[in-house]
Amino acid sequence: MPELRQQCLWEHVTQPAAPSRVLNAELKADVCIIGGGITGLSAAIHLLEQGKTVILLEAWKIGHGGSGRNVGLVNAGTWIRPDDVEATLGQKQGSRLNKILGEAPGEVFATIERLGIDCQAHNTGTLHMAHNATGVADLEARHQQWSRRGADVELLTGAKCEEYCGTDKISAALLDRRAGTINPMGYTQGLAAAVERLGGQIFQQSAVQGLEREGGSWRVKTAKGSVSADKVVISTGAYTEGDWTNLQRQFFRGYYYQVASVPLQGAAADNVLKHGQGSWDTRTVLSSIRRDDQGRLLLGSLGRVDNKPAWFIRSWADRIQNHYFPQLGKVEWEMHWTGCIDFTPDHLMRLFEPAPGIVAVTGYNGRGNTTGTVIGKAFAQYLLCDNPDALPIPFSAMKPVSAPALRTGFYETGFSLYHAGQCLRVVL
């Protein structure tokens, strides 16, 4: 049996980036961006294109966090249904957010084309797959709500559903033609390359240790240097670290793991998601399913496996694959990896302005590829014109999530028990 190694597929299939630089000097810029994920890089590109000087600081390396480790779904909207967004935020604000995030996949694919990013981009839609009658009812509601807003969505049933999904275990699937898939590491590194082409400076392995007001500017300190800037963007998401900010108290961490097979060939494999969509199901502890450009089958779920033995990971992946795609026979699993998600209790993001000249965001709830792209652009526009109308939602007051560590532990324990039940064929 081949070794099942702990490695992120997207890093494995993406060309290595240029050697990184560590900040070891005292520099100045118009804007300092903390966090080298999609949000920060998107903000940097739009600021640079408007003539601003930008320095970006990344604690680890570009793509280290959720921006490079996610499933690669380019989804429209939020985790929750559009009617629920408007019920939570109010009709005016909720409708605006639904519109902006509904159009966000188009922004991602337009950015990829405009900047010439090579990242396995496929604007062929996504499939939200119903695993039971409750799931069908949920998809019927989502279909009705998005159709009422003019979205290009279709509820697939019967033979067409089986054709698109490649399994007879799904009775309905919501095809969202606005959406698609990418290699998220390729996308993130492509954004970083564009930042440097435009004259921006990126420093990696340069974790922020302090942020303080100094005259009319902000000084952002690292272990070996500092940046003095008029404006600061904090876009560190679930990977926020350090005592210099209380942003990590505004969300609770969740984990998401993925397992990738060796490249699969043959007629049986070709019929799995044959039209190129990525997918996820309607389970509370959901499973994501997609293929990459080399034919691998990628399975994922909420929780972490970086702390679990290889037999457990294989057992879980075998269980999901045999349920949905028994026609594949025995599948060899090649690699696994785990990433973090910044969750909020209502599954909606938060924008903050903790002090004049500083903007921050958290709570993408697993929708970072699209949301990060549009929020980065919105932050750039806001910093350029100081107009709140540039933002998709207003700034929120910083109100810590209660017991974030306990929430993380509670959910992770539940996910682990559920996945153990799947391995033991007690639940599916």
Side-chain angles (χ1 to χ4, degrees):
M1 183 179 294
E3 177 188 4
L4 175 61
R5 64 186 185 274
Q6 183 171 323
Q7 181 181 13
C8 178
L9 168 67
W10 306 123
E11 187 171 1
H12 174 68
V13 300
T14 303
Q15 289 293 324
S20 62
R21 295 184 296 162
V22 176
L23 179 67
N24 57 8
E26 296 185 357
L27 303 177
K28 293 183 178 181
D30 294 324
V31 182
C32 179
I33 296 175
I34 305 171
I38 292 171
T39 303
L41 294 166
S42 174
I45 288 168
H46 291 283
L47 288 164
L48 290 162
E49 288 177 333
Q50 294 301 312
K52 297 296 182 181
T53 56
V54 175
I55 293 175
L56 185 147
L57 304 176
E58 165 57 41
W60 298 97
K61 62 180 182 178
I62 297 298
H64 166 82
S67 292
R69 304 180 69 81
N70 67 72
V71 179
L73 299 179
V74 184
N75 281 320
T78 67
W79 184 292
I80 61 178
R81 294 181 290 198
D83 280 6
D84 296 332
V85 173
E86 293 178 16
T88 302
L89 298 178
Q91 198 281 328
K92 182 178 180 180
Q93 291 181 15
S95 177
R96 174 173 167 78
L97 184 62
N98 281 328
K99 184 176 187 302
I100 290 172
L101 294 185
E103 297 172 351
E107 182 72 27
V108 171
F109 291 114
T111 298
I112 290 168
E113 183 175 1
R114 180 169 70 89
L115 299 177
I117 298 175
D118 180 11
C119 62
Q120 299 187 26
H122 300 288
N123 192 187
T124 52
T126 54
L127 293 165
H128 195 175
M129 306 189 306
H131 75 292
N132 61 15
T134 301
V136 173
D138 179 44
L139 295 189
E140 289 173 342
R142 290 175 184 270
H143 176 255
Q144 189 274 331
Q145 291 176 26
W146 278 119
S147 295
R148 194 170 72 239
R149 292 169 172 84
D152 188 2
V153 294
E154 180 182 357
L155 189 63
L156 308 180
T157 58
K160 190 170 185 180
C161 178
E162 184 172 346
E163 174 195 345
Y164 271 73
C165 298
T167 176
D168 60 4
K169 299 299 192 297
I170 297 298
S171 54
L174 185 61
L175 170 61
D176 189 337
R177 293 189 177 88
R178 299 170 295 178
T181 58
I182 56 173
N183 165 355
M185 179 68 79
Y187 181 50
T188 303
Q189 288 193 4
L191 293 174
V195 168
E196 294 188 318
R197 286 199 305 270
L198 290 165
Q201 297 185 72
I202 296 176
F203 296 95
Q204 302 177 64
Q205 305 292 330
S206 301
V208 171
Q209 298 183 345
L211 175 61
E212 62 184 32
R213 195 71 173 173
E214 190 173 84
S217 301
W218 291 99
R219 181 167 292 278
V220 185
K221 299 179 179 179
T222 69
K224 298 181 180 180
S226 67
V227 177
S228 178
D230 297 333
K231 310 281 187 179
V232 176
V233 176
I234 305 174
S235 56
T236 45
Y239 292 78
T240 304
E241 298 176 341
D243 297 331
W244 58 273
T245 176
N246 67 356
L247 188 65
Q248 61 265 48
R249 298 172 61 196
Q250 309 302 312
F251 64 91
F252 62 97
R253 284 184 178 86
Y255 295 92
Y256 199 92
Y257 68 83
Q258 295 177 75
V259 185
S261 75
V262 299
L264 304 178
Q265 297 178 343
D270 291 344
N271 283 327
V272 174
L273 299 169
K274 66 185 297 181
H275 296 293
Q277 288 81 23
S279 68
W280 72 105
D281 59 30
T282 54
R283 302 171 194 277
T284 302
V285 185
L286 63 83
S287 300
S288 61
I289 307 169
R290 63 161 296 189
R291 309 289 302 279
D292 78 340
D293 278 10
Q294 294 177 324
R296 293 179 180 87
L297 176 65
L298 281 65
L299 305 177
S301 189
L302 291 161
R304 61 189 302 182
V305 294
D306 55 339
N307 58 356
K308 294 180 174 64
W311 67 262
F312 182 98
I313 302 169
R314 283 196 183 95
S315 295
W316 176 84
D318 286 344
R319 174 74 160 132
I320 300 302
Q321 175 255 310
N322 286 324
H323 173 73
Y324 284 126
F325 312 112
Q327 69 272 24
L328 294 178
K330 179 62 177 175
V331 170
E332 295 181 1
W333 304 105
E334 183 177 16
M335 62 191 81
H336 70 89
W337 65 101
T338 299
C340 288
I341 299 173
D342 46 344
F343 283 116
T344 54
D346 61 7
H347 298 297
L348 291 173
M349 66 178 165
R350 307 283 192 272
L351 305 185
F352 304 108
E353 192 174 32
I358 299 178
V359 294
V361 59
T362 194
Y364 286 166
N365 293 277
R367 294 293 177 105
N369 293 326
T370 44
T371 312
T373 301
V374 298
I375 293 301
K377 180 179 181 180
F379 272 172
Q381 293 171 336
Y382 175 74
L383 295 178
L384 289 165
C385 65
D386 200 30
N387 183 359
D389 291 340
L391 304 172
I393 57 174
F395 289 119
S396 300
M398 300 190 84
K399 298 178 181 178
V401 171
S402 62
L406 288 176
R407 287 175 183 261
T408 296
F410 174 78
Y411 280 104
E412 180 55 31
T413 299
F415 297 153
S416 293
L417 290 172
Y418 184 83
H419 295 138
Q422 289 179 311
C423 292
L424 296 171
R425 297 181 178 272
V426 177
V427 298
L428 180 62

